[in-house]
Amino acid sequence: MKNTDTTREAILSSALSLFLEKGYTETSTNDIRIKAGNLSRGGLYHHFPKKIDILRAIPEYLARQDTSYQEIMSTPNLSILEKLRLVFIHECQSLELSKDGRSIFQLLSDVSFADVHLRYNENYLIPLYESMIIEGNKDGSVHVKNARATAEIIALLLNQWCIPSTFKNDQQDINERLDLLSDMLNLLGVPLFNTELKQAYCQMVLCIKKNEKASE
């Protein structure tokens, strides 16, 4: 990795740690540059002219740490629907095991990060899901009329509507939302949820809620 990439990664890693510890608003660019190895102000601003630019880069930074998507997509003898399930199961398990991953959802209560999360859905996750749905139509594992709209439903409802950090739901409410979303996706031609995925998602939610309670 080039030195400039190393510096950028150090900034993002330091910023994420501080955002989780102090919150986005209470973290200054000075805090970030010091934690990133006492970086000069010019060095920080070369990569990120504004603090909001750092925040906007956090979701993609986290995604780069995980190469499992490429591994899942290259797995032979699986339909696109099966691969899509594995992607979500892995995401759930990764967040369950990762303190930073679980805590990321706590930042959704911050208006600035909620906006970043929506942008990430729009610019990265929705196109990714859409491309998988299109491929699923080709291999016959899904039967979707509007791939884009269905991808939007999956991204926005599963990644926000069913997350307790966005809506202060109890476990029963989360289960009911997952059942409703499952029924909706079945009608749309994407029978995504099976027992394993639902269990993985519920376990992740329990970990998020436990982490939130511990941080109160």
Side-chain angles (χ1 to χ4, degrees):
M1 181 181 288
K2 296 180 181 178
N3 186 56
T4 184
D5 293 333
T6 303
T7 301
R8 181 183 174 87
E9 295 293 288
I11 293 170
L12 291 171
S13 176
S14 300
L16 175 60
S17 177
L18 288 166
F19 292 160
L20 295 176
E21 177 187 346
K22 302 172 62 174
Y24 172 75
T25 303
E26 297 302 318
T27 298
S28 68
T29 53
N30 194 51
D31 294 332
I32 295 170
R33 73 172 187 83
I34 291 173
K35 190 173 181 64
N38 209 24
L39 193 65
S40 68
R41 294 183 186 276
L44 176 66
Y45 296 144
H46 170 73
H47 293 279
F48 300 101
K50 299 178 181 179
K51 186 172 72 167
I52 189 63
D53 296 326
I54 301 175
L55 183 64
R56 287 171 178 163
I58 291 292
E60 291 187 27
Y61 162 74
L62 289 172
R64 286 197 303 274
Q65 311 306 305
D66 188 354
T67 60
S68 61
Y69 172 75
Q70 290 80 7
E71 295 172 3
I72 290 171
M73 292 307 294
S74 63
T75 303
N77 304 319
L78 290 179
S79 69
I80 288 295
L81 178 61
E82 290 170 320
K83 291 178 180 180
L84 187 58
R85 283 197 192 112
L86 286 177
V87 167
F88 279 109
I89 289 171
H90 175 78
E91 287 179 0
C92 290
Q93 293 172 343
S94 296
L95 288 169
E96 179 186 343
L97 295 172
S98 166
K99 181 180 184 299
D100 285 351
R102 294 197 306 270
S103 299
I104 279 297
F105 287 108
Q106 293 175 245
L107 292 176
L108 288 175
S109 59
D110 186 300
V111 173
S112 297
F113 189 79
D115 176 65
V116 168
H117 191 61
L118 283 171
R119 288 170 182 259
Y120 181 66
N121 275 314
E122 181 179 1
N123 297 328
Y124 179 75
L125 290 181
I126 291 172
L128 173 64
Y129 299 158
E130 180 183 14
S131 67
M132 293 186 72
I133 290 170
I134 290 171
E135 290 302 310
N137 276 335
K138 292 178 181 178
D139 74 12
S141 59
V142 304
H143 303 279
V144 176
K145 292 182 179 180
N146 190 324
R148 176 71 182 190
T150 302
E152 290 172 352
I153 288 171
I154 293 173
L156 297 177
L157 295 189
L158 192 56
N159 294 330
Q160 289 190 278
W161 186 61
C162 293
I163 294 296
S165 301
T166 310
F167 299 95
K168 300 303 180 182
N169 309 316
D170 58 26
Q171 190 63 44
Q172 180 179 348
D173 188 48
I174 293 292
N175 289 337
E176 291 173 353
R177 288 183 181 225
L178 289 175
D179 287 339
L180 181 59
L181 179 56
S182 177
D183 291 342
M184 185 187 305
L185 291 177
N186 287 343
L187 289 172
L188 290 171
V190 188
L192 179 63
F193 279 90
N194 60 5
T195 301
E196 185 180 6
L197 176 54
K198 185 174 181 181
Q199 287 177 343
Y201 200 89
C202 288
Q203 185 61 37
M204 179 195 71
V205 167
L206 285 173
C207 288
I208 292 172
K209 292 179 75 67
K210 181 179 179 181
N211 194 55
E212 287 179 339
K213 188 174 182 179
S215 65
E216 290 178 353

